[in-house]
Amino acid sequence: MLVPSGRFRGTEVIDATRKHLEPEELRRVFAAPAIAARPFWNAYFRLQYYYGCRISEPAILFREDVSLESNQLIVRRLKKRQWGSKSVVDEHGKKVRVKDEDNKLGDGYTEHVYSLPPALRDVLAPHMRKLEASLNPWLFPSPKKPRKETAADRMVLIRRTGSFSAISRHAAEK
């Protein structure tokens, strides 16, 4: 069993409550019928594992974020960040936060472009073929049928596009 450890701000950190899966354990996870027999979840969890995504990051991928032709994938990383500010060094050599007037990524995520290895491409291709006839723009759409917007639908979530929605992170946690 591997125990995660590392350095955080110069302090040695050992996290005995978490453990990394051994290669054989990982093979058994992806061979489980609940994942292996279902292209939707197989693609979801393989992307999450391979790129080290948080549970909700694959859920907000659009189909256009995956290019099977150029073998590239765009992942939006949902990191905590101080929106509208940036770090600069003041006259005393100390880092301080100041308001960033030119803040272009003040929406709480950063985009990263990754190469898509052949193994992941082979997992994503059948899933994407199933989505071709759908109008839903999400790579992992919610199974709920689209409905008409009502006046009560004032809250717009990041995973919401018109009457379509992406899978929720709670569905992936089950």
Side-chain angles (χ1 to χ4, degrees):
M1 175 175 94
L2 298 172
V3 177
S5 62
R7 292 201 165 282
F8 179 72
R9 296 187 183 179
T11 305
E12 188 75 22
V13 176
I14 298 174
D15 189 351
T17 60
R18 297 184 196 176
K19 79 173 202 108
H20 293 282
L21 294 177
E22 297 291 339
E24 182 53 37
E25 292 172 315
L26 189 61
R27 277 191 281 280
R28 285 198 316 258
V29 166
F30 285 115
I35 295 175
R38 300 166 73 189
F40 180 95
W41 290 116
N42 192 8
Y44 189 96
F45 289 120
R46 285 189 186 265
L47 277 175
Q48 182 188 9
Y49 173 76
Y50 188 83
Y51 295 108
C53 295
R54 291 164 175 81
I55 192 83
S56 56
E57 288 174 345
I60 60 170
L61 291 174
F62 288 104
R63 291 190 319 199
E64 66 188 26
D65 293 337
V66 179
S67 173
L68 297 177
E69 294 80 31
S70 62
N71 292 324
Q72 289 186 329
L73 170 74
I74 297 172
V75 176
R76 286 170 197 81
R77 298 293 184 165
L78 303 173
K79 297 180 179 176
K80 290 185 179 181
R81 47 190 302 154
Q82 292 187 358
W83 301 337
S85 66
K86 64 181 177 181
S87 186
V88 296
V89 178
D90 68 3
E91 64 273 2
H92 305 293
K94 208 174 173 189
K95 277 190 178 179
V96 293
R97 297 292 251 180
V98 296
K99 187 169 183 173
D100 182 10
E101 300 297 332
D102 300 322
N103 187 18
K104 302 293 186 227
L105 281 175
D107 40 11
Y109 65 85
T110 56
E111 287 184 345
H112 298 268
V113 179
Y114 296 101
S115 64
L116 197 60
L120 275 179
R121 188 182 188 288
D122 294 344
V123 169
L124 277 173
H127 173 66
M128 291 187 71
R129 274 195 298 275
K130 285 179 74 174
L131 297 174
E132 282 177 354
S134 171
L135 297 174
N136 197 323
W138 298 103
L139 183 59
F140 299 105
S142 173
K144 295 178 183 174
K145 300 278 187 221
R147 61 184 176 80
K148 289 190 174 187
E149 295 292 321
T150 65
D153 293 328
R154 300 271 184 238
M155 184 70 132
V156 178
L157 304 173
I158 190 173
R159 58 183 202 85
R160 194 72 198 251
T161 306
S163 60
F164 295 108
S165 61
I167 194 85
S168 73
R169 67 174 276 230
H170 302 293
E173 289 174 345
K174 291 181 182 180

